[in-house]
Amino acid sequence: MKQRKILVTGGAGFIGSNFVHTILEENQDVTVTVVDKLTYAGNLKNLDKWKGDPRFEFIKLDITDKSEVFSKLQNIEVNEIAHFAAESHVDRSILGPEEFVKTNLMGSFYMLELARKLYSQNGLRVFLHVSTDEVFGSLGEDGAFTEKTPYAPNSPYSASKAGSDHLVRAYFHTYGLPVITTNCSNNYGPFHFPEKLIPLMILNCLQGKPLPVYGTGENIRDWLFVKDHCLAIDLVMRDGKFGETYNIGTRNEKNNLDIVHKICELMDEKNPKGAPHKKLIQFVKDRPGHDFRYAIDPSKIENELGWKPKYKFEEAIEQTVDWFLENRSWWEEILSGEYNKYYESQYKELKS
Ligand code: NAD
Ligand code: TDX
């Protein structure tokens, strides 16, 4: 394989920054160019480690601005694209769907148009589109999503991701672009933005704040450690088949209340002055259209690409809690800014 020169969109966000760490830590002979708008969820601190490294470059860019995308990137020397940039929070998509349609659909469209140009100029090797299991909708008590499950998105977020998945597919069939899509389940780990369930519960425990559980807490998610996800994406970029999709998950279903209890137990051990943290649990209004259950069947990536996760849930969730305990300044800065206003108004609404 030629030297890999990877363009990573959304590389200052949660999964994108973990992917940059994985790629640069695991490979010497690779360069990474991150493009990111630095929205509320993007944070250059996530990439501090690579400042000044000749293998790393950062370009501030809004993927919904077509002229900016083309003026800044059409002559760039990259041979792979990993497309993570998106609006990612379901609750925010319910409050304001427009940004989701713009970034997830139009932004992905412009990235595909750019990829088409780079492909015709110098033969782009792969365009990897990072998507979600939420495009498949909600499961009942049984079964799991396979690559053949029909699409049935229920939130503006998942509908915008589904739309982008279809565009990616069309660019393979119509233009022969070497695309691959991955659909994964809920990630957790370092650099997770505090609005999402796991970091929110860890940080509220640390601050002695209520732990808001939507509805009955019985909804089920299939939790994937972000480092396993990033290794899987790298594998798919190297060995995956163009035009195909791969589901990524680790058969790790848990209901939300079990997740919250697990975090409370870990916090009782590591932050004994707040124990028992489970006294902070508060049942609040349910999310509108709340999908009941997600579960991934990862047989295809296991059987065809030989993928195996490295981490077990028990060790990875503890590593995650430790990361938040050891990186106080990272989250304190986020909690002291604009995000706090969003959280407080969201929480007020959930209790009303
Ligand atoms: P995130 O919200 O933490 O990060 C998104 C990043 O994209 C941020 O750095 C943000 O600044 C950037 N971005 C947003 N709009 C942009 C724009 N217009 N132009 C350029 N950059 C922009 O999200 P995440 O959790 O890291 O998710 C990454 C990808 O993985 C998304 O495509 C998401 O749909 C998908 N995904 C996430 C999960 C999960 O559990 N977090 C699960 C499945 C799939
Ligand atoms: O305060 C909360 N209380 C609560 O009960 C929050 C923030 C969430 N929840 C519930 C809702 C969900 O059932 O926890 C579950 C997980 O919620 P989120 O962390 O918001 O994740 P989810 O909506 O499942 O979506 C995530 O996984 C799939 C990512 O945010 C998406 O980007 C990804 O595609």
Side-chain angles (χ1 to χ4, degrees), residues 321-333:
V321 168
D322 288 341
W323 187 87
F324 281 91
L325 288 169
E326 286 156 16
N327 288 275
R328 234 191 145 91
S329 63
W330 181 87
W331 54 265
E332 276 179 347
E333 192 176 320

Side-chain angles (χ1 to χ4, degrees), residues 224-279:
L224 166 64
F225 190 45
V226 68
K227 294 187 185 185
D228 274 328
H229 181 205
C230 291
L231 288 167
I233 290 177
D234 188 23
L235 177 67
V236 173
M237 288 177 84
R238 290 163 185 270
D239 297 342
K241 268 172 84 179
F242 302 136
E244 302 231 343
T245 69
Y246 294 86
N247 283 0
I248 306 173
T250 50
R251 300 186 178 86
N252 183 39
E253 289 181 54
K254 310 260 177 233
N255 80 31
N256 293 339
L257 203 51
D258 287 343
I259 287 285
V260 176
H261 281 143
K262 178 72 200 170
I263 290 168
C264 288
E265 269 170 38
L266 286 166
M267 294 306 295
D268 287 350
E269 201 184 303
K270 293 168 193 281
N271 180 52
K273 71 177 189 308
H277 290 85
K278 68 174 186 212
K279 68 175 184 285

Side-chain angles (χ1 to χ4, degrees), residues 20-225:
V20 173
H21 295 305
T22 301
I23 286 289
L24 291 175
E25 281 160 9
E26 304 273 322
N27 312 276
Q28 275 311 308
D29 197 22
V30 62
T31 65
V32 166
T33 302
V34 166
V35 299
D36 200 295
K37 181 182 172 184
L38 301 180
T39 65
Y40 79 92
N43 188 348
L44 271 184
K45 293 233 160 69
N46 298 3
L47 299 167
D48 257 358
K49 181 172 173 186
W50 306 107
K51 234 197 237 165
D53 189 308
R55 298 176 302 155
F56 173 78
E57 175 188 25
F58 176 76
I59 300 173
K60 188 167 190 293
L61 182 147
D62 180 349
I63 63 164
T64 70
D65 184 336
K66 185 180 180 186
S67 62
E68 198 183 22
V69 167
F70 276 83
S71 65
K72 290 190 175 167
L73 301 179
Q74 68 179 343
N75 293 315
I76 195 160
E77 265 196 53
V78 295
N79 48 30
E80 302 185 21
I81 297 178
H83 177 42
F84 292 87
E87 287 294 336
S88 67
H89 194 35
V90 174
D91 292 332
R92 288 187 194 247
S93 84
I94 297 166
L95 292 170
E98 192 165 349
E99 275 314 299
F100 286 73
V101 175
K102 278 192 195 154
T103 296
N104 301 358
L105 203 50
M106 291 307 290
S108 296
F109 166 59
Y110 295 140
M111 288 312 301
L112 284 164
E113 281 289 276
L114 174 83
R116 192 152 76 91
K117 180 148 182 109
L118 296 178
Y119 182 60
S120 70
Q121 280 169 194
N122 49 24
L124 187 77
R125 208 188 62 77
V126 63
F127 180 100
L128 189 285
H129 174 60
V130 180
S131 190
T132 171
D133 58 358
E134 301 197 13
V135 296
F136 301 122
S138 183
L139 291 164
E141 298 288 344
D142 305 314
F145 301 130
T146 73
E147 289 75 5
K148 295 196 166 71
T149 303
Y151 274 39
N154 292 320
S155 71
Y157 162 71
S158 52
S160 67
K161 292 295 289 186
S164 64
D165 293 9
H166 291 322
L167 274 175
V168 169
R169 176 190 154 91
Y171 271 61
F172 173 75
H173 288 279
T174 306
Y175 304 114
L177 197 70
V179 302
I180 308 177
T181 294
T182 52
N183 297 88
C184 71
S185 53
N186 288 58
N187 284 223
Y188 65 100
F191 303 108
H192 206 176
F193 195 80
E195 66 195 348
K196 308 285 171 36
L197 179 74
I198 287 183
L200 188 122
M201 295 300 157
I202 297 171
L203 299 184
N204 282 15
C205 278
L206 275 172
Q207 299 169 96
K209 282 185 163 181
L211 308 177
V213 174
Y214 299 169
T216 60
E218 286 165 315
N219 300 61
I220 293 168
R221 298 293 182 263
D222 187 353
W223 293 95
L224 166 64
F225 190 45

